[in-house]
Amino acid sequence: MTETSDSKNLEPIRLKGIGVSPGVVVAHVYLLKPDQWHVLKRELKPDEIEHEICRFEDALIETRRQIKTIQKNLETRTAIGDASILDAHLMVLDDRTLIEEVVNGIRENLLNAEFVVKTATERYAAVLESVEDDYLRERVTDIRDVARRIVHSLSGKDDETLGDIDGEYVLIAQDLAPSLTASLRKEQVLGIATDHGSATSHTAVMARAMEIPAIVGLRDVSNQIHTGDLIAMDGNRGIFIIRPTESDLEEYGRLAETRRSISQGLTALHDKPAETRDGHRILLSANSEGPDELDAVLQYGAEGIGLFRTEYMFLSHGSSMSEEEQTKIYTHVAQRLSPSPVIIRTQDIGGDKFLADNQSRKEANPFLGCRSIRLSLLYPEHFKRQLRAILRASASKNVKIMYPMISGAKEVLQANALLDESKEELRKRGIPFDENLDVGIMVEIPSAALTADIIAKHVDFFSIGTNDLVQYSLAVDRVNERVAYLYEPMHPAVLKLMKYTIDAGHSAGIWVGICGELAADPLATPLLVGLGLDELSVAPAAVPIVKDVIRALDQTRAAELANAAMGCKSAGEVLGLCRELTSEVAPELLDIL
Ligand code: PEP
Ligand code: MG
């Protein structure tokens, strides 16, 4: 962090965003400007080289197409009759030396195209910049511009990493690409604040998983702040203060202390069951985004993993991960948690979680498009590779499979048929797996909730994914901060869908859990317990506080609350009931919620 803002005498600015990952932070910021050019370095396996070179060649073609389009637009829609100024850009694309350097770099150093393009360009640029010639110096800008376009064609916006920034800071950005979020280091990034995003965007989910306090949806914080500015933030309430006053600093110091002492108190609950005062037992598990979080899952006393998201693994290792590589990861997770259950969800790519080569980013409505199980069913060989790997990990007898984004029974039957084929393939190879492995689905589309009675006949459990269920039932894009005020997990419509799912599951004799972010909100715990959910799966760090509320509750009181909530006319009314009960059973928590 070298830049500093000359703003000591300016007034504080107080902003309110969506608090998505708890924690109080007072620190200096690092502003990630949108035009900054960071790329992710990824090592390739030898059998990925040819594919990587093809990607690079495709990106050259795409970049040429883009530049030609810009040229045409400049000529037809503006007063610029001659757009030959962009010919220099096209010449860069024809520069054999640069192209060969990139191809050789991929082949010889086994590195991804984005990284090689950037390093080759910077080397070129450094040589040209050192020459006393205006024409050549101007070409540096062209080369950088074209290279940036190539990198964008290669990987859209997912091209950033922060490895080269020193020190600790709160990271400020318009938005964070999934691969960038996945590459953050907790020791360095003390907090995150973004213009865009919502409570269930990937940034929020990852921040919570990494226990980095975060506020999203701050609209234009990135325009109001400079690298080096001091800020104070409360990731629970969504309050963000640029240039806090002395009294702000005192207040935030006190708040941090209260949180610390509450969470210290909660550590005593580690080995205690998640059981209500009247003896109703809930399975309290953790969500996990990757094997790095297993320590946290165990440390906070979760009783298993209720959602292991596999897409982040593909985001960081590439979509072509082999069966062996995947088996290694799933087996490691299963064995580390054994004998506690681990629910591995098949890939949920798409929506706001894109792979570099995923076509769904080009769809007009990616959340409604070829995402998740739809992609898996479209590429059965790829899907079966993942299923075989999960099956192999199930040899330790504590693994369950879960399909995401199921819209109806037909998809379950299709997925189960591929699962049967995968089992048969393993049997033929003589590879052991759990023949009785349970299969479940995420209920996160209203059509699945409303046909839960039909689907229940084909699965062993349901896990309600409120993050998507809310967006699909209320028609509210879960990552669009402009409609975040409509994103209400306690909306009566959502509660009705949840209740229908829970009752249908129970009538069919299967258990029903929840793994959406609502499960981690301690204010919602009485409602969820009251609705009759059998399992709550939450971010690891939320396990103690949710357990605390469960242990302070009576199931009968919670059921009464849920009954009353079903008659409420608005989310606000439901929240009011939840607050009332929480203030009765766990008043100390209201100070920090
Ligand atoms: C959900 O939709 O609630 C969920 C847990 O899945 P994801 O957030 O990964 O879409
Ligand atoms: Mg989902």
Side-chain angles (χ1 to χ4, degrees):
M1 266 193 291
T2 49
E3 224 177 293
T4 52
S5 118
D6 184 19
S7 52
K8 288 199 180 77
N9 301 321
L10 296 176
E11 289 293 304
I13 298 177
R14 295 169 200 281
L15 303 172
K16 176 87 174 77
I18 307 163
V20 294
S21 181
V24 173
V25 187
V26 174
H28 295 276
V29 307
Y30 180 85
L31 173 64
L32 191 69
K33 295 182 191 134
D35 61 347
Q36 258 172 321
W37 198 32
H38 300 282
V39 300
L40 197 68
K41 181 175 177 180
R42 187 167 70 81
E43 282 181 19
L44 302 176
K45 291 186 290 298
D47 64 358
E48 289 178 310
I49 292 175
E50 292 314 316
H51 173 67
E52 198 65 7
I53 292 172
C54 283
R55 276 202 329 119
F56 171 58
E57 285 168 354
D58 286 349
L60 289 178
I61 294 167
E62 169 62 18
T63 308
R64 171 175 295 280
R65 194 194 58 73
Q66 286 174 8
I67 295 173
K68 287 266 188 203
T69 309
I70 298 170
Q71 270 188 328
K72 215 185 257 154
N73 285 346
L74 278 176
E75 284 168 1
T76 55
R77 296 201 199 141
T78 71
I80 302 174
D82 173 13
S84 59
I85 43 169
L86 286 178
D87 283 351
H89 284 59
L90 292 173
M91 275 160 59
V92 175
L93 285 172
D94 285 333
D95 187 332
R96 290 312 310 169
T97 326
L98 188 61
I99 292 173
E100 271 162 30
E101 187 163 344
V102 173
V103 172
N104 291 341
I106 294 172
R107 222 184 267 291
E108 285 158 22
N109 303 324
L110 293 175
L111 289 171
N112 58 318
E114 290 90 339
F115 186 79
V116 178
V117 168
K118 187 187 175 189
T119 40
T121 309
E122 288 307 330
R123 212 175 11 253
Y124 239 64
V127 173
L128 293 180
E129 269 169 345
S130 66
V131 178
E132 288 286 319
D133 181 315
D134 286 347
Y135 170 76
L136 286 180
R137 280 221 219 89
E138 265 172 38
R139 289 213 56 208
V140 171
T141 320
D142 295 337
I143 290 173
R144 285 217 175 96
D145 217 35
V146 172
R148 204 168 289 165
R149 274 186 186 282
I150 297 173
V151 165
H152 274 260
S153 299
L154 276 163
S155 54
K157 288 182 73 190
D158 304 352
D159 55 2
E160 298 165 306
T161 187
L162 294 166
D164 41 356
I165 304 167
D166 296 327
E168 296 176 339
Y169 50 85
V170 168
L171 182 65
I172 312 290
Q174 283 187 344
D175 201 359
L176 294 176
S179 55
L180 177 70
T181 319
S183 71
L184 298 182
R185 285 189 299 117
K186 190 178 155 188
E187 313 78 76
Q188 190 170 32
V189 181
L190 305 179
I192 296 173
T194 61
D195 292 350
H196 305 306
S198 66
T200 62
S201 53
H202 68 262
T203 308
V205 169
M206 289 300 285
R208 261 192 301 273
M210 291 188 285
E211 296 175 47
I212 300 176
I215 303 177
V216 301
L218 282 161
R219 287 161 188 265
D220 66 344
V221 64
S222 67
N223 273 331
Q224 305 195 43
I225 208 162
H226 301 90
T227 290
D229 277 348
L230 184 68
I231 63 99
M233 64 184 272
D234 177 349
N236 227 324
R237 296 170 206 218
I239 300 171
F240 188 89
I241 309 173
I242 307 175
R243 296 180 293 274
T245 61
E246 281 304 317
S247 85
D248 290 327
L249 293 176
E250 259 173 49
E251 186 194 331
Y252 275 68
R254 263 197 312 274
L255 201 54
E257 194 39 53
T258 312
R259 275 177 204 285
R260 239 190 319 275
S261 75
I262 287 182
S263 58
Q264 264 162 14
L266 294 177
T267 54
L269 294 179
H270 186 276
D271 297 320
K272 302 244 163 69
E275 187 173 292
T276 60
R277 285 163 19 130
D278 49 353
H280 181 73
R281 191 81 160 78
I282 302 283
L283 180 68
L284 185 54
S285 0
N287 292 352
S288 168
E289 273 59 66
D292 295 350
E293 287 160 31
L294 299 186
D295 285 344
V297 170
L298 296 168
Q299 177 203 328
Y300 287 111
E303 297 173 281
I305 293 183
L307 167 62
F308 184 82
R309 287 183 167 98
T310 53
E311 50 279 3
Y312 291 102
M313 184 186 83
F314 289 114
L315 286 171
S316 53
H317 290 72
S319 59
S320 57
M321 278 181 85
S322 68
E323 181 184 319
E324 296 303 323
E325 283 172 306
Q326 292 187 55
T327 303
K328 218 159 131 191
I329 294 178
Y330 305 145
T331 303
H332 170 70
V333 177
Q335 289 181 350
R336 189 82 203 280
L337 265 287
S338 174
S340 301
V342 174
I343 300 179
I344 301 181
R345 182 176 75 178
T346 59
Q347 65 81 10
D348 185 24
I349 302 286
D352 68 336
K353 294 173 283 199
F354 293 117
L355 286 176
D357 50 1
N358 181 9
Q359 289 305 307
S360 64
R361 68 169 64 245
K362 305 212 168 83
E363 296 178 344
N365 294 302
F367 273 117
L368 300 181
C370 195
R371 136 176 209 213
S372 195
I373 192 74
R374 300 170 185 185
L375 262 180
S376 296
L377 295 175
L378 193 63
Y379 297 104
E381 287 313 315
H382 197 281
F383 185 40
K384 283 202 293 175
R385 196 190 308 156
Q386 180 170 36
L387 292 175
R388 286 193 304 270
I390 301 175
L391 283 167
R392 288 172 65 174
S394 76
S396 55
K397 304 274 192 216
N398 60 332
V399 171
K400 303 178 200 302
I401 286 188
M402 178 156 72
Y403 307 134
M405 273 284 287
I406 291 293
S407 63
K410 194 166 142 197
E411 280 164 333
V412 180
L413 293 175
Q414 286 172 325
N416 277 346
L418 292 170
L419 181 63
D420 286 342
E421 280 179 30
S422 310
K423 288 180 178 174
E424 197 45 40
E425 284 159 15
L426 289 182
R427 282 187 203 106
K428 279 197 186 124
R429 282 158 61 190
I431 298 179
F433 61 91
D434 181 2
E435 291 278 357
N436 299 314
L437 155 133
D438 280 352
V439 177
I441 63 153
M442 300 271 305
V443 177
E444 48 187 347
I445 298 182
S447 58
L450 294 171
T451 53
D453 51 337
I454 303 170
I455 301 175
K457 298 192 174 71
H458 308 291
V459 295
D460 302 298
F461 64 90
F462 288 150
S463 184
I464 301 179
T466 43
N467 303 346
D468 278 311
L469 188 62
V470 175
Q471 90 160 338
Y472 294 132
S473 53
L474 305 183
V476 178
D477 182 343
R478 68 190 254 186
V479 296
N480 183 344
E481 72 285 355
R482 297 177 72 198
V483 289
Y485 68 100
L486 290 171
Y487 190 93
E488 296 179 317
M490 292 187 188
H491 191 291
V494 179
L495 298 196
K496 284 179 183 155
L497 290 168
M498 287 174 59
K499 172 115 179 72
Y500 188 86
T501 306
I502 296 165
D503 292 349
H506 287 170
S507 299
I510 65 173
W511 63 264
V512 185
I514 174 172
C515 59
E517 299 306 318
L518 179 65
D521 179 354
L523 285 177
T525 307
L527 174 67
L528 301 177
V529 171
L531 283 170
L533 283 157
D534 305 289
E535 180 232 28
L536 308 185
S537 189
V538 305
V543 167
I545 198 163
V546 171
K547 192 190 279 186
D548 190 44
V549 179
I550 292 173
R551 291 178 59 81
L553 277 175
D554 275 316
Q555 162 70 14
T556 42
R557 274 301 301 283
E560 278 165 24
L561 173 133
N563 249 338
M566 293 311 294
C568 283
K569 294 184 189 64
S570 68
E573 240 182 89
V574 179
L575 185 62
L577 292 181
C578 290
R579 268 193 181 279
E580 227 172 84
L581 188 53
T582 309
S583 69
E584 216 180 281
V585 300
E588 71 290 352
L589 297 185
L590 282 190
D591 282 347
I592 59 161
L593 293 177

